Amino acid sequence: MLKRTRDIQKALSESGYRITQPRQAVIEVILRARRSLSPEEILARARKIDPGVGLATVYRTLDVLHAEGYLERVRIGNKGYTLTCTEKTLHFHLICERCRTVTELQSDRFSRDLMAQLRAAGFEARKHAIEIIGRCAKCQPSE
Ligand SMILES: [Zn+2]
Ligand SMILES: [Zn+2]
């Protein structure tokens, strides 16, 4: 089991969530993923760990993780995808619409400026990632 899986499970059970075997499988799949995953993809992978996982468990676990701030949802086209992100400071998600790899990008200067302006506007940001959708270096057509 990944260390982060254990940390998250501990935090969730402290918040009063019961971590069942199927939920644990879903959490592990999400944490292992190198790209954003759709609920159906999470289901298929989680079933390899625990055949008892159902789509309802996937959605429920996604809701819990989202509510606790462990993951973000992104939309690519008209489909929703999920990725884990525990970064609380402002940053970018570069999302490839073809292979759905998500690259995290930090820009300290940009974050400082934008956070200062948000504060000045009295706005409290709940989400701290800005999504940029496009093509990653690998997925660009070669000339
Ligand atoms: Zn992030
Ligand atoms: Zn790509």
Side-chain angles (χ1 to χ4, degrees):
M1 199 191 300
L2 301 173
K3 186 184 169 286
R4 273 184 70 211
T5 315
R6 216 170 304 143
D7 290 346
I8 290 177
Q9 284 178 0
K10 194 162 160 269
L12 290 181
S13 48
E14 275 163 14
S15 306
Y17 296 105
R18 242 182 81 234
I19 306 299
T20 58
Q21 201 75 32
R23 281 185 180 184
Q24 184 177 308
V26 172
I27 294 171
E28 257 194 88
V29 165
I30 295 167
L31 289 180
R32 263 190 210 155
R34 297 242 175 85
R35 61 172 176 83
S36 51
L37 295 174
S38 69
E40 291 75 17
E41 288 171 322
I42 294 170
L43 178 66
R45 291 182 186 198
R47 278 194 172 147
K48 288 183 189 148
I49 303 172
D50 183 339
V53 180
L55 197 55
T57 307
V58 172
Y59 279 111
R60 178 76 191 118
T61 309
L62 291 178
D63 283 346
V64 168
L65 289 172
H66 188 246
E68 296 294 312
Y70 290 113
L71 64 80
E72 304 222 13
R73 291 195 169 128
V74 295
R75 293 191 80 74
I76 301 172
N78 53 4
K79 289 203 173 119
Y81 292 94
T82 298
L83 61 115
T84 41
C85 176
T86 49
E87 178 60 55
K88 296 290 181 225
T89 60
L90 197 67
H91 64 289
F92 296 94
H93 287 160
L94 311 181
I95 302 163
C96 177
E97 62 190 346
R98 192 160 165 272
C99 69
R100 303 204 302 275
T101 304
V102 179
T103 311
E104 304 249 346
L105 183 80
Q106 307 279 350
S107 165
D108 289 344
R109 216 179 65 194
F110 175 87
S111 311
R112 259 200 310 276
D113 281 3
L114 190 56
M115 286 311 248
Q117 290 188 40
L118 289 173
R119 262 195 305 277
F123 190 85
E124 196 197 323
R126 187 176 49 77
K127 210 178 155 185
H128 292 92
I130 295 168
E131 288 163 16
I132 299 180
I133 305 215
R135 289 269 171 115
C136 75
K138 270 191 238 150
C139 293
Q140 279 165 32
S142 47
E143 280 137 293

